[in-house]
Amino acid sequence: MRYEIRSVWEEGEDCFKKYKKELKPFNPCIEPWVTPTQNGYRLHSTLSIELNSLDDLVKLVDRVGNSVIVNEDYSLEIYDSYRE
């Protein structure tokens, strides 16, 4: 099953750049999307990974070296910094 993943301060492509090596075994995928602004468009991206078992989640935590939070919408957040 694919899950969106981000870290406390990075998401999408920025999160992938930070954790590229650690996420590689989980088949990462970046999906770009845009939103209109007053001056044109803003480019965003969403990073997702493939997890098929609780063992995969444990392996992810071990590889990134930080806790991973499962949010209410079943997205994942690498807890690599303090957040309020």
Side-chain angles (χ1 to χ4, degrees), residues 56-81:
D56 285 347
L57 182 58
V58 171
K59 289 176 189 173
L60 174 66
V61 171
D62 288 343
R63 289 188 63 87
V64 298
N66 295 299
S67 298
V68 174
I69 298 168
V70 179
N71 295 308
E72 292 176 0
D73 63 355
Y74 298 105
S75 65
L76 306 172
E77 183 176 1
I78 301 169
Y79 191 66
D80 58 359
S81 179

Side-chain angles (χ1 to χ4, degrees), residues 6-76:
R6 59 186 167 275
S7 69
V8 173
W9 297 111
E10 289 95 11
E11 60 184 35
E13 191 171 352
D14 294 331
C15 184
F16 180 68
K17 288 176 186 175
K18 185 173 183 178
Y19 291 103
K20 185 176 185 174
K21 180 180 173 186
E22 293 84 353
L23 297 178
K24 187 175 182 179
F26 304 103
N27 193 21
C29 178
I30 300 172
E31 297 179 29
W33 51 282
V34 295
T35 56
T37 65
Q38 290 179 342
N39 301 328
Y41 294 94
R42 180 173 176 210
L43 180 62
H44 304 272
S45 59
T46 302
L47 173 62
S48 64
I49 59 172
E50 184 79 26
L51 297 178
N52 295 309
S53 67
L54 189 54
D55 286 335
D56 285 347
L57 182 58
V58 171
K59 289 176 189 173
L60 174 66
V61 171
D62 288 343
R63 289 188 63 87
V64 298
N66 295 299
S67 298
V68 174
I69 298 168
V70 179
N71 295 308
E72 292 176 0
D73 63 355
Y74 298 105
S75 65
L76 306 172

